[in-house]
Amino acid sequence: MPSLAARIAREFGSPALVIDLEVVARNVARLQAACAGVGLANRPHVKTHKSPVLARMQVEAGARGITCQKLGEAEVMARAGLDDILISYNILGADKVGRLGRLLRETRVTVAADNATVVAGLPEAARIAGRPLGVVVECDTGRARAGVTTPEEAVSLARDIASRDGLAFEGLLLYAPEDAVAQTQAFLDATLAGLAAHGLSARIVSTGGTPNLRNLGRIAGATEHRSGTSIFNDRMMMACGAAGLEDCALHVVATVVSRAAPDRGILDAGSKTLTSDTGGGLDGFGLVREYPQARIGRFAEEHGFLDLSACPEKPEVGAVVRVVPNHVCVTVNMHDRYVAVRGEEILGEIPIAARGRVS
């Protein structure tokens, strides 16, 4: 009997993005249990899977709500009936503020902000919606991405939010480096003390990141956690110790289409399928499950270059393989659908409905 991967390639074509719902369900349950075990609400980040079907699975397992990185994702989720959405990104500009206001009319939405320019535009969304908009202050405790960089800035921005008609200060958004629990705690403690001195409190203290699951419960005062990649996992999560191969629910089914040299093969999955994300310095661009010694060394747009020099057995032309991506989030955004399986059973397709919704 042909392998599952071969049957998928025959029925849906190659390359194909495949998820095993049995592994997905196990990962969802594990995340929910981990959060509940330390008294944190679970607010999974849907930027990884971009699917209302999977978001609903997470909510039904006990998640408080969901996190979206962009307004477009939130609109797709809300149209599918998802509620209690945190948008963990600055929303700026008249068009986006107008869309936020229309979204807020029908859906519970909280947004993040890290500067006064963003905050100044948000009351218009509340006016359009006819109800208050909750805002959390994004804080940088060492990752050097977005976020205010001092407790004093966090308190000042919280006071600005609280002073504006239509806005409600709701709390703080954190995305701490995995090795920065102590400095994050110091930042949070100073911020909460500063807020209290001005009669404010943080109803939400939201932490984030799948690698930070090992730090759950270690930041006193946190109320919820945002984890995205954990629903699928990938090579990055395996490398940091957050997952094993058995926890990787997603792979790309690809076909070896050329063996033009003894130690070289070509997959029909290049940078437009697996993306050129190195995963923070991983060797190669994916793990070939059937040939783990094979190295996907480089890409063209539709060519994945296989270095087979270390393989004791080498795939022939026509071999169908499964590739675990380096970074699952960006890989998902390259595809329009999942092929869903459960074990060896093919279940059908699930649309990636928020795919490409980057604004």
Side-chain angles (χ1 to χ4, degrees), residues 31-32 35 40-46 58-59 62-68 83-88 108-110 136 173 203-209 223-228:
L31 174 62
Q32 187 64 40
C35 290
L40 291 178
N42 177 24
R43 188 181 291 276
H45 209 318
V46 304
Q58 292 171 311
V59 170
R64 167 179 290 173
I66 61 172
T67 306
C68 295
D83 198 6
D84 196 353
I85 299 173
L86 169 64
I87 304 176
S88 55
R108 289 179 293 168
V109 181
T110 303
V136 294
L173 183 90
R203 184 180 68 85
I204 297 169
V205 177
S206 183
T207 58
T223 65
E224 66 177 35
H225 191 77
R226 314 176 313 278
S227 173

Side-chain angles (χ1 to χ4, degrees), residues 12-315:
F12 296 95
S14 170
L17 193 68
V18 179
I19 55 172
D20 188 328
L21 291 182
E22 188 173 294
V23 183
V24 168
R26 192 167 67 232
N27 291 343
V28 167
R30 183 185 298 116
L31 174 62
Q32 187 64 40
C35 290
V38 294
L40 291 178
N42 177 24
R43 188 181 291 276
H45 209 318
V46 304
K47 72 180 178 66
T48 297
H49 59 70
K50 294 179 176 287
S51 164
V53 172
L54 299 181
R56 178 66 61 191
M57 180 185 299
Q58 292 171 311
V59 170
E60 289 176 352
R64 167 179 290 173
I66 61 172
T67 306
C68 295
Q69 192 74 351
K70 290 296 184 74
L71 181 58
E73 292 173 354
E75 290 168 330
V76 170
M77 296 297 155
R79 284 198 294 270
L82 278 299
D83 198 6
D84 196 353
I85 299 173
L86 169 64
I87 304 176
S88 55
Y89 201 85
N90 286 323
I91 294 178
L92 188 64
D95 174 65
K96 290 181 183 177
V97 168
R99 288 164 56 197
L100 175 61
R102 293 187 289 275
L103 177 65
L104 183 62
R105 283 177 187 160
E106 307 296 333
T107 307
R108 289 179 293 168
V109 181
T110 303
V111 300
D114 77 347
N115 64 79
T117 301
V118 168
V119 170
L122 294 177
E124 176 63 10
R127 186 196 67 77
I128 291 169
R131 62 171 173 167
L133 171 65
V135 185
V136 294
V137 174
E138 183 172 4
C139 302
D140 174 24
T141 65
R143 197 170 289 273
R145 196 170 72 170
V148 298
T149 58
T150 68
E152 292 76 19
E153 289 178 283
V155 172
S156 176
L157 196 60
R159 294 180 67 196
D160 184 8
I161 294 164
S163 73
R164 293 182 182 271
D165 289 342
L167 301 187
F169 170 68
E170 293 287 358
L172 307 170
L173 183 90
L174 309 174
Y175 184 31
E178 291 77 42
D179 59 353
V181 171
Q183 72 188 55
T184 299
Q185 188 70 65
F187 187 112
L188 177 59
D189 291 345
T191 302
L192 293 176
L195 292 171
H198 291 282
L200 297 173
S201 61
R203 184 180 68 85
I204 297 169
V205 177
S206 183
T207 58
T210 295
N212 265 323
L213 290 174
R214 67 173 180 258
N215 292 322
L216 281 183
R218 294 182 61 196
I219 297 176
T223 65
E224 66 177 35
H225 191 77
R226 314 176 313 278
S227 173
T229 308
S230 59
I231 191 170
F232 293 150
N233 294 305
D234 53 22
R235 283 187 83 205
M236 290 172 63
M237 296 305 101
M238 291 171 63
C240 77
L245 183 58
E246 70 279 5
D247 303 315
C248 291
L250 179 146
H251 57 264
V252 173
V253 164
T255 302
V256 177
V257 295
S258 174
R259 283 291 314 281
D263 289 332
R264 185 175 77 239
I266 298 294
L267 290 177
D268 62 352
S271 63
K272 287 183 175 179
T273 298
L274 289 163
T275 83
S276 54
D277 194 319
T278 61
L282 293 170
D283 183 31
F285 294 98
L287 171 66
V288 183
R289 296 185 70 147
E290 289 79 6
Y291 300 91
Q293 292 86 8
R295 179 175 179 271
I296 305 175
R298 60 190 178 99
F299 283 142
E301 292 179 23
E302 306 294 353
H303 296 69
F305 288 73
L306 284 175
D307 176 357
L308 302 172
S309 58
C311 291
E313 296 184 10
K314 306 179 196 302

